[in-house]
Amino acid sequence: MALDVEGARRVVGRILDDKLEVWRDSGGHADDLLDETTGALVRPTPDEVLVWDGLGAVMSLGRPAITKPVDGAVSVEPPTTDYQAVLPVGAPVLRPDDVIRVAGSVRPGGPRDPQLVGRRFRVSDESVGTFSVVRIVRVQVIN
């Protein structure tokens, strides 16, 4: 007997309100060219291909932690720069160095975090976890 997770998919699907695009460097880093004048690697254009677009969510992994040192003063630890992307299980499996772009939001009243719209994130782990409801990958801010 299979476990019916359709109800859980509907509930979790409500948080998938960011319009996401997944881009992949089709030639990899091996197709970059050396600019002998500047010494920098230059990517050929176009270098990335759109692999997937659809609804998902990009969320911070954590919030600043408030700790009480021994002397009783309250300090705030710096927030993490890591985020996680939550995608439907139907999205393709992502690879390290794929780029996720937050293209917008369908959330009524505006995006959960307006500062994320237009930002790009690099996939740092292939998969933190895949559940029968969503796929979660760890990402880091590019710009």
Side-chain angles (χ1 to χ4, degrees), residues 9-109:
R9 281 192 185 136
R10 282 194 305 272
V11 171
V12 172
R14 291 183 196 142
I15 67 165
L16 304 181
D17 54 14
D18 292 333
K19 294 180 186 176
L20 302 181
E21 299 171 346
V22 176
W23 296 85
R24 182 169 292 152
D25 183 351
S26 58
H29 298 292
D31 66 342
D32 294 353
L33 302 171
L34 176 65
D35 181 340
E36 294 184 17
T37 307
T38 64
L41 288 175
V42 179
R43 298 165 83 172
T45 26
D47 195 39
E48 295 178 333
V49 294
L50 182 65
V51 175
W52 178 83
D53 68 337
L55 294 179
V58 173
M59 298 179 244
S60 177
L61 276 176
R63 301 281 179 235
I66 296 177
T67 60
K68 287 197 176 254
V70 176
D71 63 0
V74 176
S75 66
V76 177
E77 293 178 4
T80 179
T81 58
D82 285 345
Y83 287 78
Q84 60 187 2
V86 182
L87 306 166
V89 287
V93 175
L94 302 184
R95 301 179 192 159
D97 293 331
D98 282 352
V99 173
I100 295 176
R101 179 179 172 272
V102 180
S105 176
V106 296
R107 185 180 180 93

